Amino acid sequence: DVKVTQSSRYLVKRTGEKVFLECVQDMDHENMFWYRQDPGLGLRLIYFSYDVKMKEKGDIPEGYSVSREKKERFSLILESASTNQTSMYLCASKRAEVGSQPQHFGDGTRLSIL
Amino acid sequence: GQNIDQPTEMTATEGAIVQINCTYQTSGFNGLFWYQQHAGEAPTFLSYNVLDGLEEKGRFSSFLSRSKGYSYLLLKELQMKDSASYLCAARSGNTGKLIFGQGTTLQVKP
């Protein structure tokens, strides 16, 4: 079974802090994704990565950056946290070659910015 | 533009059948996924359609009409554990990117 692990289930940070959310997958997947999930808005793509050291902006990249130094790890960085970044953050991964392969999700990190 | 619509909430009775609809307008449409998400948990994959027609997997079936930009998820013999959110997601182009609808929260009542 694919395992996508997010480092924290719950996180509380202060406005202006630099926040790191970590995601690790154990299936040698090339593609990795970061989403945020808000009530009434569904999952929105922040950034994704096709492979190591590759990254592309998703639909809402403002205020975020990412890092993919190793294939198994994809980090989301909030450069200077703001209260409107309070949300559920979900990481996902999938194999690159076959489009019909689903994305596999981690359990999510519920981030509160005070 | 990219847009996916699905009802926000639905209620059904244990043992019954429920159909959750999804309409999409997606450039370069290349397949549709359904996911189930229980409260506080990760979304889990249910089904994938790329060609027109019905795909059946046990109690769950999914249908796609590419010409109408329409899909539905059919849940038969509903059980209480089917109470969850159901997410419709369209694949755009040849990337792994998905565009998600807002999700349909299904409540199954005894």
Side-chain angles (χ1 to χ4, degrees), chain A residues 7-56:
Chain A
S7 53
S8 305
R9 287 301 303 272
Y10 301 94
L11 206 54
V12 180
K13 296 292 182 180
R14 297 205 174 274
T15 303
E17 281 192 68
K18 192 168 185 177
V19 180
F20 293 85
L21 302 183
E22 305 287 347
C23 175
V24 176
Q25 49 93 6
D26 66 356
M27 285 301 292
D28 203 37
H29 285 169
E30 292 81 8
N31 298 169
M32 295 188 76
F33 307 83
W34 273 107
Y35 296 90
R36 61 179 285 176
Q37 185 174 31
D38 300 288
L41 296 177
L43 271 74
R44 292 181 292 166
L45 182 65
I46 305 171
Y47 265 98
F48 63 103
S49 170
Y50 286 118
D51 211 330
V52 179
K53 297 191 186 294
M54 298 175 70
K55 58 186 179 185
E56 283 199 29

Side-chain angles (χ1 to χ4, degrees), chain A residues 9 33 35 37 40 42-43 45 48 50 94 99-103 105-107, chain B residues 33 35 37 40-43 45 48 87 91 95-98 100-103:
Chain A
R9 287 301 303 272
F33 307 83
Y35 296 90
Q37 185 174 31
L43 271 74
L45 182 65
F48 63 103
Y50 286 118
K94 73 175 287 291
S100 61
Q101 287 296 305
Q103 293 184 15
F105 286 85
D107 285 336
Chain B
F33 291 83
Y35 283 83
Q37 185 179 24
E41 297 183 12
F45 169 70
Y48 172 73
L87 314 180
R91 181 172 168 237
T95 71
K97 285 176 60 177
L98 297 178
F100 282 85
Q102 67 176 0

Side-chain angles (χ1 to χ4, degrees), chain B residues 16-32:
Chain B
I17 299 173
V18 71
Q19 178 175 312
I20 302 174
N21 296 324
C22 171
T23 58
Y24 63 88
Q25 290 178 298
T26 309
S27 58
F29 174 80
N30 198 9
L32 193 123

